Amino acid sequence: GAGVSQSPSNKVTEKGKDVELRCDPISGHTALYWYRQSLGQGLEFLIYFQGNSAPDKSGLPSDRFSAERTGGSVSTLTIQRTQQEDSAVYLCASSPRPGTGVEQYFGPGTRLTVT
Amino acid sequence: AQSVTQPDIHITVSEGASLELRCNYSYGATPYLFWYVQSPGQGLQLLLKYFSGDTLVQGIKGFEAEFKRSQSSFNLRKPSVHWSDAAEYFCAVEGRDDKIIFGKGTRLHILP
């Protein structure tokens, strides 16, 4: 079946512009996660959704970052007034039963470059 | 809050040699533990996981990991590495709050 998809795969934007990154999880997966992967920094947790609710937003680096999820499915990560330090690969993952040791399924990522 | 430490940023081994990648976690109870692999240009793939029972878990591609509660460790091992094992390896922990935290990763280099 279809896996987690993300779009766009690559995004180049100018400093100060807003960007939207999209994630389509696997159908039926209730949990959705966003991570940021920068060189040498591993996977930095950003936000987690259970259904449409985000019980944990603690990883969002600043108030320029926001995310929403609608219909328990698609999620959008928005970065306002992008800065060069926002350049990274943004990964989305979904899971059918969080908190039970069931693994996450990752998308291919969106590579964001802020010039 | 849980945390994960992978103390080795880079490891180099010769093809055919044994491998051990270290992972230490911090969590108040027994967590769920995972190892993922990210090959160049590829997404993250689950190698193995521990959530209860036998502390030695087997995964794909000939990897295994041992959960040691007393050491708060979940080290990944392989008896004989292949050139195709060159990749970045991530240890992860899931606490009861459903949040999954990853370590910074260990990049594995294989010498011919």
Side-chain angles (χ1 to χ4, degrees), chain B residues 26-42:
Chain B
S26 174
Y27 186 64
T30 300
Y32 300 125
L33 296 160
F34 307 85
W35 274 100
Y36 285 84
V37 60
Q38 187 177 37
S39 299
Q42 303 294 312

Side-chain angles (χ1 to χ4, degrees), chain B residues 6-88:
Chain B
Q6 292 180 249
D8 304 304
I9 299 173
H10 293 273
I11 282 194
T12 301
V13 298
S14 298
E15 191 168 17
S18 63
L19 171 70
E20 183 170 32
L21 303 183
R22 295 183 291 165
C23 172
N24 292 95
Y25 69 89
S26 174
Y27 186 64
T30 300
Y32 300 125
L33 296 160
F34 307 85
W35 274 100
Y36 285 84
V37 60
Q38 187 177 37
S39 299
Q42 303 294 312
L44 278 93
Q45 181 183 22
L46 179 73
L47 283 176
L48 47 78
K49 62 182 179 181
Y50 170 81
F51 54 92
S52 68
D54 194 345
T55 56
L56 184 64
V57 294
Q58 303 296 322
I60 62 171
K61 305 184 180 185
F63 285 91
E64 66 178 27
E66 186 172 11
F67 169 58
K68 292 186 177 180
R69 185 191 307 274
S70 61
Q71 298 177 18
S72 298
S73 69
F74 188 56
N75 294 348
L76 182 71
R77 302 194 294 248
K78 186 169 184 178
S80 176
V81 298
H82 185 263
W83 64 267
S84 61
D85 293 326
E88 190 153 23

Side-chain angles (χ1 to χ4, degrees), chain A residues 33 35 37 39-43 45 48 50 56 58 91 97-108, chain B residues 32 34 36 38 42-46 49-51 88 90 94-105 107:
Chain A
Y33 304 78
Y35 294 90
Q37 187 174 23
L39 191 63
Q41 295 301 311
L43 276 76
F45 170 83
Y48 151 64
Q50 174 60 23
D56 193 334
S58 63
L91 293 168
R97 297 185 301 280
T100 61
V102 175
E103 69 269 24
Q104 297 171 307
Y105 296 80
F106 281 83
Chain B
Y32 300 125
F34 307 85
Y36 285 84
Q38 187 177 37
Q42 303 294 312
L44 278 93
Q45 181 183 22
L46 179 73
K49 62 182 179 181
Y50 170 81
F51 54 92
E88 190 153 23
F90 293 94
E94 180 181 14
R96 294 299 182 268
D97 60 358
D98 303 343
K99 191 162 83 174
I100 300 178
I101 299 298
F102 285 78
K104 291 189 182 299
R107 186 167 294 279

Side-chain angles (χ1 to χ4, degrees), chain A:
Chain A
V4 178
S5 62
Q6 293 185 246
S7 60
S9 55
N10 280 284
K11 177 71 176 179
V12 180
T13 190
E14 293 180 352
K15 177 181 173 181
K17 301 283 191 183
D18 297 352
V19 295
E20 283 190 354
L21 311 180
R22 176 186 168 105
C23 173
D24 278 276
I26 293 173
S27 178
H29 281 196
T30 59
L32 186 149
Y33 304 78
W34 282 99
Y35 294 90
R36 180 167 69 175
Q37 187 174 23
S38 305
L39 191 63
Q41 295 301 311
L43 276 76
E44 177 187 5
F45 170 83
L46 296 179
I47 189 170
Y48 151 64
F49 287 93
Q50 174 60 23
N52 292 333
S53 301
D56 193 334
K57 303 180 182 179
S58 63
L60 294 176
S62 76
D63 59 8
R64 296 187 295 106
F65 287 71
S66 63
E68 65 175 12
R69 189 180 186 194
T70 55
S73 181
V74 172
S75 177
T76 302
L77 177 70
T78 301
I79 309 174
Q80 295 178 310
R81 304 180 303 281
T82 51
Q83 303 294 313
Q84 288 186 330
E85 61 262 29
D86 300 332
S87 296
V89 176
Y90 290 82
L91 293 168
C92 174
S94 69
S95 174
R97 297 185 301 280
T100 61
V102 175
E103 69 269 24
Q104 297 171 307
Y105 296 80
F106 281 83
T110 294
R111 181 175 297 278
L112 175 66
T113 304
V114 181
T115 61

